[in-house]
Amino acid sequence: MSDNTTSIVLAGVGGQGILLASSIIAKAAMIAGFEVKMNEVHGMAQRGGSVIAQIRYGKNVHSPLVEEGTAKVFASLEQIEAIRFAHYLSPDGLAVVSTQTIVPVTVSMGSGKYPQDVKQRLEKIFKNLIIVDALGKANELGNIKVANVIVLGAISRGLDLPLETWHEAIKSEVKEKFADLNIRAFEAGRNS
Amino acid sequence: MELLSGNEAFARGAYEAGVTVAAAYPGTPSTEILENIAARYKKDIYCEWSPNEKVALEVGAGAAQTGARVLVTMKHVGLNVAADPLMTLAYTGVAGGLVIIVADDPGMHSSQNEQDSRNYAIFAKVPMLEPSSSAEAKEFIKIGMDISEKYHTPVIVRSVTRISHSKGPVELCQRIQPRTEFGFVKNPQQYVTIPVWARKMRVQLEEKLGQMLQASNESPELNRIEWADEELGIITSGICYEYVKDIWPTASVLKLGWSNPLPDTLIKDFAAGVDKILVIEELDDILELRIKAMGIDCIGREFIPGIGELTPSVLRQCKAKMQGEEYIVPAPVEESKDLPARPPVLCPGCPHRGVFTVLAKNKVVVTGDIGCYSLGSLPPLSSLDTILCMGAGISMAHGMDKAKANHKVVGIMGDSTFFHSGITGLLDIAYNKGASTIIVVDNRITAMTGHQENPGSGKTLMGEDTIEASIEAIGRACGVKRVFSINPYDLAETSKVIETEINTNEPSLIVSKAPCPLAVGKPVGHKRNVDAEKCKVCGMCLKIGCPGMEGGEKGQVPKVNKLLCAGCGLCEQVCKFGAITMDKEI
Ligand SMILES: Cc1ncc(C[n+]2csc(CCOP(=O)(O)OP(=O)(O)O)c2C)c(N)n1
């Protein structure tokens, strides 16, 4: 809990594009002049399991791992994953949750239920909450793959990194031909 | 300055160190090292996926004996496979630098066990370096090469998941130019380990260890003391150093980057300067026992767990416990208690699903193996009964058969695993007159670890076209007469062949052939729909465990998630009521 280190946790389901979103945050923080550490999940858990990525930036950062209860911003690309990993957020932190639903196979097999009251739960857990229809907005932009960058736009509202650094980071992390689309996605999220 | 993962930094380190040959077999969390070498430095570094880790290390040994600088990488269990060459390579030593990166997986994020590779350095009598960040990951490869050449020994660099898969800032440097000519200099007394010469090498090995011990005491860039408070001194290595700096910011720290041979005088100096010593190490209590054996009092395992990975929160708890206090790590919120679990699953469109759907219907014991098909062990397919190590899927089937088990046995493994260590097992079955039914799920790629090429893929790591080794032909060459190729998306055919072979009293090899759709980057076919009129909600389509088919509350018609459906059509084939139809969309 080094006092001047900012921690961010992203949650979601393997394959949703968490790695890109976390790379962009890390890059933006680096461009802004901070030391950055970040951790991501590869391997087994990527096959459709729950995954998280952790980013920390500040003047002098040691551990790449975020302690539970200390993240300044917590975001989830899937609704119930937001609930599963909510305990990473600090009490006064910002939560960003995409309304996307991915039903786990365990539900289809009848060994679990996808809760029907997700919105109420989210509102109860998070004091400071932004809910985004990232998939819907991504559809409007013509490419569902940018849902993660829309969430990123909303995340940026809780972080003190200048707008230009975000744009620069996006340009450096996505293929050139998708840069414009991703910047529009980012703006859509930031203004949501 | 660049933000690199540990694995990217290892690759960069190899490049900067003037490495010209790199060999590996993939394995999480080590895989991306060679992928990065191939993606960025293949102009300067020859790199290959070897069929297994033993081969990779032997390729590395050969290259190093010509004077080349060589990198070999693997996951922790890979070193078990490569242990044979390692043990004796320590005796012969190397002419050019040879660094072996071994990536441990504390917490078993993606592994079948949690073995601590530091034991191997002691066991094999070779030096071990343990970087704590991406910056050190790069630097330690270069230092490791120098140590390797200076003492003519292979050097192990130990990574862990949190080093390999964490990113941090790295300063890039120029490549040290490799020599321009390579060649083996004959010297049988050095390279031929017949007993008469090996005995001499054995003595030299101890001499080298003595010299390295002195060096590890006098290498501040690797082993350093950070003096601060006198009350508590912490001895630690690798990633734990970073956690210690967060949790005990005011303690004195002895940071071990060169942990074998263990720098004894440095430890004594450190012990003399602090009141109390705490040893923080992930997994086995190797440092603690050796420090205690030096007659130095210290605490460690009493407060620091030896099972699972250490994290800043775990250590914050340990710290509180040591101070007689309690620190409660924020737990998952109350509202998360009834959430459905989300375990990893076979992807939509995975060709392995067809084979497991058939196996699930048959009363057989399935000796399995490690790969995506390991997921066939989980519900609802639940049809894989053992996983031991790579290769065991075939050999264990033969063992059960020879024990005259009172049930049928099917052995199953993937193509990459077959090339890794399945061939010898199959040869055993043919040679020793077994009768097992072996299924190789051949998706022409090493999928589980993220799609690496293998001898069946037709491409090398460097992107060149090459042979596509045929599993059927290898099976026949081993002497198996009943060899079949099946299309796993055709359930009728798959089940006919498997069921016939299970009941045949002869060895058989069934090769299930279909490329991994993820690797090909294309869906298998047209998406499917559920026709609510015809659906009787029998649940059959849910029993194949496809994430693309979403079941709802009891009595509700399942629906296809169009974002996920890959159009393999298995659900359509298991539906008895013709309620699943093809969409126009692919
Ligand atoms: C000795 C050893 N090396 C590497 C690994 C990592 N690993 C697990 S599964 C696997 C390969 C799986 O490929 P394949 O058999 O083709 O099956 P697929 O995942 O493609 O279905 C590897 C490399 C391991 N578990 N053990």
Side-chain angles (χ1 to χ4, degrees), chain B residues 496-514:
Chain B
K496 194 175 113 213
V497 175
I498 292 180
E499 279 159 27
T500 313
E501 292 319 300
I502 291 173
N503 294 304
T504 305
N505 221 356
E506 241 188 281
S508 30
L509 173 66
I510 303 170
V511 186
S512 159
K513 293 180 89 86

Side-chain angles (χ1 to χ4, degrees), chain A residues 38-39 67-68 81 106 121, chain B residues 162 167 313 316 341-342:
Chain A
M38 118 185 195
N39 184 266
E67 286 183 67
E68 290 84 341
E81 297 312 310
T106 47
R121 292 193 195 197
Chain B
R162 302 303 187 172
K167 292 194 177 188
S313 337
R316 197 174 291 287
R342 199 188 290 278

Side-chain angles (χ1 to χ4, degrees), chain B residues 9 69 86 205 218 231 247 249 266 273 282 287 309 346 404-405 415 435 470 535:
Chain B
R69 284 191 156 189
L86 174 69
L205 178 56
E218 294 161 6
E231 295 109 74
I247 307 298
L266 196 63
E282 219 159 24
L287 294 175
E309 72 174 344
L346 289 177
K404 300 196 168 60
D415 48 334
S470 155
C535 177

Side-chain angles (χ1 to χ4, degrees), chain B residues 82-103:
Chain B
D84 198 12
L86 174 69
M87 290 292 162
T88 308
L89 194 57
Y91 280 46
T92 65
V94 290
L98 174 65
V99 168
I100 305 164
I101 300 174
V102 178

Side-chain angles (χ1 to χ4, degrees), chain A:
Chain A
M1 267 183 258
S2 329
D3 300 318
N4 42 25
T5 300
T6 301
S7 297
I8 301 139
V9 172
L10 303 185
V13 177
Q16 275 196 298
I18 279 208
L19 296 190
L20 176 67
S22 56
S23 301
I24 296 174
I25 298 175
K27 191 68 182 213
M30 208 168 115
I31 296 169
F34 293 107
E35 178 169 353
V36 183
K37 295 258 173 100
M38 118 185 195
N39 184 266
E40 38 192 53
V41 175
H42 296 243
M44 188 94 172
Q46 272 179 305
R47 295 275 173 271
S50 308
V51 288
I52 64 169
Q54 323 186 31
I55 304 124
R56 303 183 76 219
Y57 68 84
K59 206 160 153 275
N60 200 334
V61 184
H62 288 289
S63 161
L65 300 182
V66 175
E67 286 183 67
E68 290 84 341
T70 70
K72 185 170 179 202
V73 178
F74 165 72
S76 181
L77 298 177
E78 202 277 350
Q79 296 190 81
I80 59 167
E81 297 312 310
I83 303 172
R84 205 186 305 278
F85 295 106
H87 57 294
Y88 275 93
L89 189 64
S90 62
D92 48 3
L94 169 71
V96 176
V97 181
S98 163
T99 50
Q100 189 172 351
T101 297
I102 300 177
V103 179
V105 269
T106 47
V107 170
S108 304
M109 283 151 34
S111 65
K113 272 193 185 157
Y114 198 97
Q116 299 302 308
D117 58 343
V118 176
K119 188 147 185 272
Q120 288 90 309
R121 292 193 195 197
L122 293 173
E123 279 163 356
K124 183 157 165 242
I125 301 166
F126 300 114
K127 271 205 315 232
N128 198 351
L129 171 69
I130 303 178
I131 295 183
V132 255
D133 175 16
L135 213 50
K137 281 195 199 313
N139 254 326
E140 283 167 25
L141 289 169
N143 189 337
I144 52 162
K145 290 221 173 99
V146 297
N148 54 355
V149 178
I150 290 170
V151 171
L152 193 65
I155 291 174
S156 74
R157 286 160 61 179
L159 297 172
D160 43 11
L161 299 173
L163 185 60
E164 315 84 72
T165 63
W166 286 106
H167 285 192
E168 209 179 311
I170 292 170
K171 284 184 202 146
S172 95
E173 296 302 301
V174 306
K175 287 213 184 85
E176 209 182 314
K177 63 174 176 181
F178 295 118
D180 273 352
L181 171 68
N182 278 284
I183 288 184
R184 272 185 287 138
F186 178 83
E187 289 300 327
R190 192 168 166 102
N191 301 322
S192 64

Side-chain angles (χ1 to χ4, degrees), chain B residues 34-78:
Chain B
L34 272 246
E35 286 182 332
N36 270 284
I37 288 183
R40 295 181 196 185
Y41 313 117
K42 72 175 171 197
K43 205 162 64 59
D44 296 294
I45 304 178
Y46 165 80
C47 54
E48 70 166 43
W49 291 130
S50 308
N52 68 30
E53 294 86 352
K54 172 173 147 69
V55 174
L57 183 52
E58 291 156 353
V59 168
Q65 301 316 22
T66 70
R69 284 191 156 189
V70 180
L71 183 73
V72 176
T73 74
M74 58 195 70
K75 72 182 285 160
H76 60 340
V77 287

